[in-house]
Structure formats: C-alpha cells, structure tokens
Amino acid sequence: MASATTKNYNSQTPKLWILCKLCKLLVWAAILDFPLNSHLTTLASIHKIHHTLHRLNLTEDVGQDSPPSAMPPRKKRRPSAGDDMSAKKSRQDSIFRKHESSQIQEEEAFSSKRCVEWFYEYAAYDNVVGPEGIEKFCEDIGVEPENVVMLVLAWKLDAQSMGYFTLQEWLRGMGSLQCDSTERLRNSLDYLRSVLNDSTSFKLIYRYAFDFAREKDQRSLDLNTAKCMLGLLLGKTWPLFPVFNQFLEQSKYKVINKDQWCNVLEFSRTINLDLSNYDEDGAWPVLLDEFVEWYKERQMS
C-alpha cells in the first residue's frame, strides 16, 4: 500500500511543479500587461489551483524554485547492539566519575576521627602531649621547638601551658586550621608564619605569649624566659632589641610583669631608634625610663 502511494505521488510531482511555474507566470503577466478584470480572473484561477493543491496536501511545495524531491523520507536507524554497549559504558563512566569525585571530597574534608588518631601518636598515657611528644611532633613537621611558628600554633590551639597540648586544645586548634594530619599541617606552616605580619594578630600573640610562658602560680615572667620570648617575637623586627637585651642582663630586674611586657611592644612600635620622641613624663613604666637613661649615657660615653 505504501509503495503504491509513493508511486502515485512521484508520477504527479512533475505535473504539479509545472503547474506551480505556470501560476507564477500568470501572476507576473497579470501585473505587467493585463487590465484589472484580467487580474481578477487570474487571481480566481490561482485560488482554484491552490484549493486543488491544498486538497492533495501539496501546498508546502508551491512556490519552490526546484521540484520537490521524489525520494521517500528516510527511516530512523535502529540503535545497534554496539550503540547500546557504548551508551551503557558512558553511563558507567559517569557514575564512576561521580563516585571518584565524592571520594576526593571526603578525603579533603577535615576528619575529627583522624585528628584524634593523630593526637595519640604523640600523647602520653594521661591524654596530654608532653615535652617528649612535642619534640617528636616538631621533628615530624620539620620545625624546631624554639621556632616562632610553634608559638603561633600554640596560640591557635589556645594552649594554656608551654610544652603541653591537651586533646581539647588539639581538636579546637587543628579544627580551625582544618589540619588532621602531619602533611596538612606542614602545608599550613607558611600561613602560620604569615599571621605574624598582621599587626593586630601579632599584638594578640604577643600578649598571649606572656601568660603562655609564665608559671601558673606566678603573676610575672622570670627574666630569662622573658628575654627568650622577647627575642623570639621582637629579635628580627626591632633594631634596638639587642641593646635592650643587654640592658636587662645588667639590670636589677629578676622578673617582668604584664604591664612592663605590654609596654615594651608599644615602645618598639612608637619610639624612634634615637629615642628622640621619648617623653620622660609620659606614662611609661620605670623599666623603660631606666632603659632610655642607660642608653643615652652609653651613647655619650
């Protein structure tokens, strides 16, 4: 049945195409030469022809400059077994990529469990990382215990005693750094060093260092510890520190209290290297008045 219809359609196609061409010629002839009545007659004829074509469902091809193709429409190709396999493999690859991506995200996320396991690599029986554990920890991350980055790390952990980390301090600080392994902390060391470049953070670390380093039953810091901590924090940034350290060594002072400690930082930030803007009548502690006097006498001699 489909074959007969196609054959009938193909036999009529040339005639219809010729008929369309004749229609075009009639229209142009009517426009150029014929009077109005001829126009109307021509239009009526065209309308009748168009109506006939519409009944044959061939109006799509009217007005084409070339005859419509006599070839029947192509049938859609059925997917082969190979196509099915390719599609299946593509879906499997997509699922694998999603699974692999989720695994990577899980590995990158901070894990409290891993962090606790990491803590117990250094903790003693009393669930505290003590001096020996700190020493091993420093070896693993590649820094000396006296390195200032360890002070910054202790500040991040909010550790209360020098040379000791509790589990709670460890989890709080390492969680804020998103570090649950030695490798991750190694990768964060540059960040910890950079914190010292921010003046606000440096001031907080400087103030923290006093309470961190002092004995908990003492309100002041013994002089030797104070000199070590000042050297750690100001030794590379305050040109007058070597001279100030000499002053402390020959002075009568055995301890440094918190007010003196905080004023040393303010002095290092605001007073010129020649001490020309130091106000002896200002609210500086006696310790710094004596340092300025000692320094000027030394300069004169």
Side-chain angles (χ1 to χ4, degrees), residues 98-168:
K98 289 181 180 178
H99 177 67
E100 189 180 45
S101 177
S102 65
Q103 280 187 326
I104 291 171
Q105 289 177 354
E106 287 177 4
E107 290 175 1
E108 290 178 350
F110 174 81
S111 168
S112 296
K113 181 181 178 181
R114 282 199 301 267
C115 194
V116 170
E117 292 172 352
W118 183 34
F119 171 82
Y120 280 109
E121 291 180 18
Y122 309 105
Y125 63 91
D126 53 354
N127 296 326
V128 174
V129 178
E132 291 183 3
I134 294 288
E135 186 176 353
K136 183 178 184 299
F137 172 70
C138 289
E139 288 177 5
D140 289 347
I141 64 174
V143 299
E144 295 294 327
E146 299 81 13
N147 194 302
V148 69
V149 76
M150 287 301 296
L151 177 62
V152 180
L153 178 62
W155 173 68
K156 280 289 186 180
L157 270 61
D158 194 22
Q160 297 302 301
S161 300
M162 182 183 290
Y164 296 90
F165 294 150
T166 67
L167 178 59
Q168 184 180 5

Side-chain angles (χ1 to χ4, degrees), residues 31-299:
I31 293 171
L32 294 173
D33 299 321
F34 293 171
L36 181 60
N37 289 337
S38 299
H39 279 269
L40 295 174
T41 303
T42 303
L43 290 172
S45 299
I46 292 171
H47 178 74
K48 186 174 181 180
I49 292 168
H50 182 273
H51 181 69
T52 302
L53 293 173
H54 182 72
R55 288 179 61 190
L56 293 172
N57 198 25
L58 298 172
T59 52
E60 279 186 358
D61 299 321
V62 176
Q64 301 282 338
D65 289 336
S66 59
S69 173
M71 295 296 292
R74 295 179 63 184
K75 292 183 179 180
K76 192 173 181 180
R77 185 176 67 87
R78 279 188 176 184
S80 65
D83 292 336
D84 290 339
M85 290 297 293
S86 298
K88 185 177 181 181
K89 186 177 184 303
S90 178
R91 288 193 298 270
Q92 290 174 343
D93 289 345
S94 177
I95 293 170
F96 175 76
R97 284 194 297 270
K98 289 181 180 178
H99 177 67
E100 189 180 45
S101 177
S102 65
Q103 280 187 326
I104 291 171
Q105 289 177 354
E106 287 177 4
E107 290 175 1
E108 290 178 350
F110 174 81
S111 168
S112 296
K113 181 181 178 181
R114 282 199 301 267
C115 194
V116 170
E117 292 172 352
W118 183 34
F119 171 82
Y120 280 109
E121 291 180 18
Y122 309 105
Y125 63 91
D126 53 354
N127 296 326
V128 174
V129 178
E132 291 183 3
I134 294 288
E135 186 176 353
K136 183 178 184 299
F137 172 70
C138 289
E139 288 177 5
D140 289 347
I141 64 174
V143 299
E144 295 294 327
E146 299 81 13
N147 194 302
V148 69
V149 76
M150 287 301 296
L151 177 62
V152 180
L153 178 62
W155 173 68
K156 280 289 186 180
L157 270 61
D158 194 22
Q160 297 302 301
S161 300
M162 182 183 290
Y164 296 90
F165 294 150
T166 67
L167 178 59
Q168 184 180 5
E169 292 167 351
W170 184 278
L171 285 173
R172 178 175 56 238
M174 296 303 182
S176 70
L177 293 169
Q178 291 292 286
C179 293
D180 54 15
S181 66
T182 302
E183 183 180 359
R184 284 191 173 187
L185 184 57
R186 278 202 210 103
N187 294 335
S188 298
L189 291 178
D190 287 341
Y191 160 71
L192 291 174
R193 293 185 182 97
S194 72
V195 171
L196 295 167
N197 297 327
D198 177 69
S199 59
T200 302
S201 296
F202 182 88
K203 187 174 183 179
L204 292 173
I205 294 168
Y206 182 90
R207 288 175 173 267
Y208 163 81
F210 180 86
D211 292 319
F212 177 64
R214 71 177 172 84
E215 296 292 336
K216 295 303 173 274
D217 59 345
Q218 302 292 324
R219 298 184 62 181
S220 299
L221 201 59
D222 73 87
L223 190 63
N224 287 332
T225 304
K227 289 191 296 181
C228 290
M229 297 302 290
L230 287 171
L232 194 64
L233 291 161
L234 301 179
K236 294 182 179 180
T237 58
W238 185 31
L240 285 179
F241 171 74
V243 182
F244 183 71
N245 190 54
Q246 289 178 20
F247 163 75
L248 290 177
E249 287 178 349
Q250 59 83 51
S251 72
K252 61 184 180 182
Y253 293 95
K254 304 300 180 185
V255 296
I256 300 291
N257 63 40
K258 193 163 189 176
D259 180 65
Q260 292 168 335
W261 176 265
C262 293
N263 273 280
V264 169
L265 175 62
E266 191 65 21
F267 184 96
S268 70
R269 287 183 168 184
T270 59
I271 302 303
N272 297 335
L273 296 181
D274 61 0
L275 310 182
S276 57
N277 62 334
Y278 182 79
D279 183 5
E280 295 179 357
D281 296 324
W284 297 105
V286 175
L287 171 70
L288 292 174
D289 287 338
E290 292 178 354
F291 166 65
V292 171
E293 183 181 355
W294 174 85
Y295 180 76
K296 287 181 177 180
E297 289 178 355
R298 189 167 179 262
Q299 290 295 99

